[in-house]
Amino acid sequence: MLTKMKRIGYASVAVLALTLTSSPAAAECVIGSAPLFDPFAPYKEPGAIIHKDSGFIFPATIAGFRRQCEMTTDFSGNNFEIGYLRDYQDHEIEIKIAIIHLAELNAEDHYKIIKPDMLSHYSSAAVVSEGDYFVSGRPDIAAYQGIFDGGKDGVPWHFSVTALDYGYWDARVMASYPLEIDTAAQEAIMELITAFQWQTPIAGNREVAVP
């Protein structure tokens, strides 16, 4: 039986899941604005965005991916999402990364709550695999992943969601691309995960030091 705190946690993240995946305003991009007002500054490198509360850095380009957003319209410290794209032949590999605080929930809980909404965006969606996910080089990070097949505008599609538990902070990585480029896309996604895996979000309510 769920504890009271865990039931509260489920209710909170259910609302958050709808906010992040269903509401365009939650992750609306402002691209190429100059001068750029960024509430998540300071910057670690030219063009990089840092989520102030967690210290997580989002470079403008990384592992062949380009960042979609300069910033989002959601300025709450516990709710931040940003996207990356990588071109492959005539297709795009899309990645969305969310950094959020989820009290009393582990990576599997996080995954199970976001899964129904993820599936709802595709036709004939079916689970290919789901279970614990090992982040290479980071045995300290508990993660859970689901991989799915479905359809998008009549095109066979492949998509996945990976939930990662850093302790105070949680992360979610959602990937989406046409099924015909599956092999190349999987390699590209692994490159991105490898490039990001050195980061560890700081605990909540701490200031990020400017180097």
Side-chain angles (χ1 to χ4, degrees), residues 56-120:
F56 207 92
I57 303 165
F58 296 90
T61 59
I62 182 171
F65 285 81
R66 66 186 185 279
R67 196 179 60 227
Q68 291 179 270
C69 303
E70 294 294 349
M71 60 181 178
T72 77
T73 59
D74 182 357
F75 297 154
S76 67
N78 286 345
N79 182 350
F80 181 70
E81 180 180 307
I82 205 158
Y84 283 89
L85 288 176
R86 180 169 172 173
D87 298 317
Y88 181 77
Q89 297 177 353
D90 295 327
H91 304 288
E92 287 183 333
I93 305 164
E94 181 178 19
I95 302 289
K96 291 186 181 297
I97 302 172
I99 303 294
I100 51 182
H101 169 55
L102 302 174
E104 303 296 322
L105 298 180
N106 59 29
E108 185 176 356
D109 295 334
H110 182 179
Y111 165 81
K112 287 181 176 178
I113 288 172
I114 199 66
K115 175 183 172 181
D117 188 81
M118 184 83 170
L119 294 176
S120 71

Side-chain angles (χ1 to χ4, degrees), residues 20-81:
L20 287 178
T21 59
S22 301
S23 172
E28 182 178 344
C29 297
V30 179
I31 300 176
S33 55
L36 174 64
F37 170 70
D38 180 9
F40 302 103
Y43 291 96
K44 287 283 188 176
E45 62 184 46
I49 289 175
I50 182 168
H51 178 221
K52 181 183 68 175
D53 294 284
S54 70
F56 207 92
I57 303 165
F58 296 90
T61 59
I62 182 171
F65 285 81
R66 66 186 185 279
R67 196 179 60 227
Q68 291 179 270
C69 303
E70 294 294 349
M71 60 181 178
T72 77
T73 59
D74 182 357
F75 297 154
S76 67
N78 286 345
N79 182 350
F80 181 70
E81 180 180 307

Side-chain angles (χ1 to χ4, degrees), residues 152-173:
K152 185 177 181 181
D153 299 324
V155 177
W157 216 258
H158 202 74
F159 55 104
S160 65
V161 57
T162 306
L164 304 101
D165 185 352
Y166 288 94
Y168 181 89
W169 292 102
D170 294 80
R172 177 167 65 250
V173 180

